[in-house]
């Protein structure tokens, strides 16, 4: 079984990655998890400037899920270069830098300034963060803007360029096609769903920003349907995420048309989930005599 | 920090809504220190989803046992009350930074409110064996919430309640203030409990111009420093600090008290 995954000019050793925002920059988990088994480590979002993040509380549990409003907290481009790049050079797995910002110039700046770093395998462009006032979600819901920004970033890098899509739109396939037209090597979906929790004793929303991003097992069917539709709308690979907490969930994403997957919220809960998912994908492939990841796509029309 | 799949030794009520859970501690696992915490996966399923953090209330290498004291408050902690001896207990531990030793010549005053009793009892036991034993003050709303836990004879303990139904009448902070005045010592404060009590403890420390260490609480996602969820506002260059990594124990002067 060949587990490798081709995305544009790059190859990932296996299809099981860890999602941006749930795994820091890798060092946070090195005592708990063998990082060499990870197919791709999508870093916490990097923005040009330092972002302290949103007011607290930032997290609240929901039925089979969690709502977050972190606000892209990160140390900015300079902080990333100084504190994180040296560590990424030592990573035993491919590092995909998640890029975020408030406007197109921000995304361009991050990619331009980090373009020469050999330790960066590729980029995941976060056009879908629901927790910042401008950029992110706002940029990611207009197909014209998505195509233009993707084309602009495409010119800045020869590394794999993955556009991360939001589910908070009427038709996610329109955004995916725009990313493809702009020259993206792949799309990843889904980012979190906009959600809300109200404290009925205090008579106010629990999160100071009122709404946040929903993740966890609750969103698995939503992510799966999005990947199923997007995989049929574009020719570039689709990276599926949303609610994966066991091998069967990841296999469902691959069957739906994904070439790779990301584990997100489950990183917080089960340090053995990556190995289990990888083992489960291998076992499924052996059972059905599949030789490569694209062969997973033959079953469902 | 390690992923430890161990088992429950004992799980018993110690006050109304409060339980002490003892768990087997493998010999290879690092020793927890007072102030450090574990996160437990309460079920093997999606509800409740996230691991729940609890401060250690004791550790005994000779007995191969560690303990936590938890309050039955929601779904996850209600499920925990059903844990029986030999049930598996899936934890990440020990997490975060523990309490530092007191400064030279300082008398440790340990102030616990509600669920803060666990780590303060752990710290009091440790300090009782050190050159600088302290006073442990445990406050509760009412007598039924005070713990029925046997501490070493060498731990000087004062119990107090808001309604005077058990122990001395008054808040733990008020009792601490009285004790410090009578003792005439140069104190160093250690606090764990509700946010309001920690803020009052910080104000007392400022008034006396003495150091205070507070164990902060915040809803956690990963508890390993990755998700940036469990932050508190701090003074200085960085606007926020992570409770799981920079804390949970902070010098009270670094916290932005609101």
């Amino acid at each position: 079984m060949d587990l490798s995954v081709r995305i544009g000019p790059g190859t990932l050793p296996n299809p099981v990655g860890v999602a941006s925002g749930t795994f820091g920059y890798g060092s946070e988990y090195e005592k708990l998890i063998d990082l060499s088994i990870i197919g791709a480590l999508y870093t916490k979002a990097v923005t040009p400037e330092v972002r302290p993040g949103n007011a607290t509380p930032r997290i609240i549990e929901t039925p089979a899920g969690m709502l977050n409003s972190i606000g892209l907290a990160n140390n900015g481009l300079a902080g990333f270069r100084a504190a994180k790049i040296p560590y990424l050079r030592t990573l035993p797995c491919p590092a995909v830098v998640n890029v975020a910002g408030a406007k197109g110039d921000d995304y361009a700046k991050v990619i331009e300034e980090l373009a020469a770093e050999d330790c960066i395998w590729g980029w995941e462009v976060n056009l879908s963060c629901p927790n910042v006032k401008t950029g992110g979600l706002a940029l990611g819901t207009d197909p014209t803007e998505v195509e233009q920004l993707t084309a602009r970033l495409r010119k800045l890098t020869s590394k794999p360029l993955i556009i991360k899509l939001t589910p908070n739109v009427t038709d996610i396939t329109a955004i995916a096609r725009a990313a493809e037209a702009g020259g993206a090597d792949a799309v990843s979906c889904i980012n979190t769903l906009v959600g809300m929790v109200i404290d009925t004793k205090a008579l106010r929303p629990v999160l100071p920003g009122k709404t946040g991003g929903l993740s966890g097992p609750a969103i698995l069917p939503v992510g799966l349907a999005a990947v199923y539709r997007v995989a049929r709308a574009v020719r570039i690979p689709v990276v599926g995420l949303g609610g994966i907490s066991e091998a069967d969930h990841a296999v469902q994403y691959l069957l739906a048309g994904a070439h790779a997957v990301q584990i997100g919220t489950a990183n917080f809960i089960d340090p053995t989930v990556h190995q289990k998912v990888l083992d489960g994908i291998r076992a499924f492939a052996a059972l059905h005599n599949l030789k490569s990841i694209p062969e997973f796509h033959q079953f469902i029309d | 920090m390690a992923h430890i799949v161990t088992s429950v030794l004992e799980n018993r009520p110690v006050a109304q809504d409060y339980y002490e859970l003892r768990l087997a501690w493998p010999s290879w696992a690092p020793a927890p220190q007072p102030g450090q915490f574990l996160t437990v996966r309460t079920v093997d399923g999606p509800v409740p989803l996230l691991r729940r953090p609890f401060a250690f209330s004791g550790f005994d290498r000779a007995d191969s046992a560690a303990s936590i004291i938890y309050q039955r408050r929601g779904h996850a902690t209600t499920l925990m009350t059903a844990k029986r001896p030999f049930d598996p207990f899936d934890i990440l531990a020990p997490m975060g930074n523990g309490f530092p030793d007191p400064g030279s010549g300082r008398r440790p005053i340990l102030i616990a409110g509600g669920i803060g009793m666990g780590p303060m009892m752990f710290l009091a036991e440790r300090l009782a064996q050190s050159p600088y034993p302290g006073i442990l003050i445990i406050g509760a709303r009412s007598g039924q919430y005070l713990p029925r836990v046997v501490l070493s004879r060498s731990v000087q303990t004062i119990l107090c309640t808001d309604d005077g139904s058990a122990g001395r009448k008054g808040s733990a902070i008020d009792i601490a203030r009285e004790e410090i005045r009578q003792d005439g010592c140069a104190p160093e404060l250690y606090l764990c409990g509700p946010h309001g009590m920690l803020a009052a403890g910080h104000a007392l420390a400022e008034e006396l111009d003495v150091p205070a260490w507070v164990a902060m609480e915040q809803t956690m996602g990963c508890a390993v420093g990755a998700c940036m969820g469990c932050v508190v506002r701090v003074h200085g260059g960085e606007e926020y600090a992570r409770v799981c990594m920079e804390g949970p124990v902070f010098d009270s002067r670094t916290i932005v008290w609101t």
Side-chain angles (χ1 to χ4, degrees), chain B residues 227-238:
Chain B
C227 77
M228 313 302 287
C230 66
V231 299
V232 289
R233 288 282 304 278
V234 292
H235 295 291
E238 309 268 343

Side-chain angles (χ1 to χ4, degrees), chain A residues 22 94 252 257 275:
Chain A
T22 67
Q252 289 189 54
Q275 188 67 61

Side-chain angles (χ1 to χ4, degrees), chain B residues 178-194:
Chain B
E178 284 171 31
E179 287 300 311
I180 291 164
R181 193 173 51 225
Q182 282 174 16
D183 193 89
C185 60
E188 183 153 350
L189 308 187
Y190 294 83
L191 299 111
C192 188

Side-chain angles (χ1 to χ4, degrees), chain A residues 218-281:
Chain A
I219 74 167
L220 173 68
V222 182
L224 203 57
V227 164
Y228 172 80
R229 294 180 59 222
V230 168
R232 278 144 191 82
V234 296
R235 285 175 304 277
I236 52 177
V238 181
V239 180
L241 70 153
I244 297 174
S245 57
E246 55 181 87
D248 183 75
H249 304 160
V251 170
Q252 289 189 54
Y253 270 103
L254 296 178
L255 292 174
H259 283 74
V261 296
Q262 296 176 19
I263 294 169
T265 301
N267 291 315
F268 300 167
I269 298 145
D270 181 6
T272 66
V273 64
H274 320 85
Q275 188 67 61
K276 287 178 189 160
V277 167
L278 210 46
D279 291 347
I281 289 172

Side-chain angles (χ1 to χ4, degrees), chain A residues 51 54 69-72 101-102 129-138:
Chain A
R51 276 184 185 256
N54 292 338
S69 181
I70 307 295
L72 299 179
C129 179
N131 294 326
V132 289
K133 287 200 179 69
T134 56
L137 185 54

Side-chain angles (χ1 to χ4, degrees), chain B residues 77-97:
Chain B
T77 46
T78 299
L79 289 172
M80 278 175 61
T81 64
K83 302 261 182 215
R84 296 286 171 261
F86 306 110
D87 281 354
F89 207 64
D90 179 333
I91 62 172
L92 303 179
M95 319 285 269
N97 301 302

Side-chain angles (χ1 to χ4, degrees), chain A residues 172-185:
Chain A
I172 195 170
T173 62
I175 314 293
R177 280 194 298 267
E180 182 179 41
D185 293 309

Side-chain angles (χ1 to χ4, degrees), chain B residues 65-217:
Chain B
S67 57
I68 57 171
I69 290 179
Y70 64 96
Q71 183 185 16
R72 185 178 58 195
R73 209 151 51 171
H75 185 201
T77 46
T78 299
L79 289 172
M80 278 175 61
T81 64
K83 302 261 182 215
R84 296 286 171 261
F86 306 110
D87 281 354
F89 207 64
D90 179 333
I91 62 172
L92 303 179
M95 319 285 269
N97 301 302
F99 290 102
D101 286 338
S104 165
R106 296 218 174 255
R107 180 141 162 84
I109 307 293
L110 283 51
I111 307 171
I115 196 60
M117 68 174 94
M120 286 294 111
M121 293 193 297
F122 188 10
L123 180 62
E125 290 280 7
R126 274 294 162 83
L127 291 174
Q129 299 157 23
S130 77
Y132 22 77
I135 305 175
L136 170 63
I137 302 164
I138 301 177
R141 267 181 296 150
S142 188
Q144 69 265 35
Y145 299 108
L146 286 171
R148 298 181 299 273
V149 174
V150 181
L151 295 173
S152 307
R153 203 178 280 273
S154 52
V155 176
Q156 186 188 343
T157 310
I158 300 170
L159 301 176
C160 59
T161 53
D162 295 342
D163 64 4
S165 57
R168 283 159 65 174
K169 186 174 191 313
S171 77
I173 297 291
D174 291 341
I175 303 294
R177 186 192 300 274
E178 284 171 31
E179 287 300 311
I180 291 164
R181 193 173 51 225
Q182 282 174 16
D183 193 89
C185 60
E188 183 153 350
L189 308 187
Y190 294 83
L191 299 111
C192 188
H195 191 84
M197 191 199 86
L198 302 184
H202 168 69
L204 176 61
E206 290 286 276
E207 180 189 318
L208 301 172
D209 194 24
V210 300
W213 302 96
V214 291
M216 302 297 289
E217 203 177 1

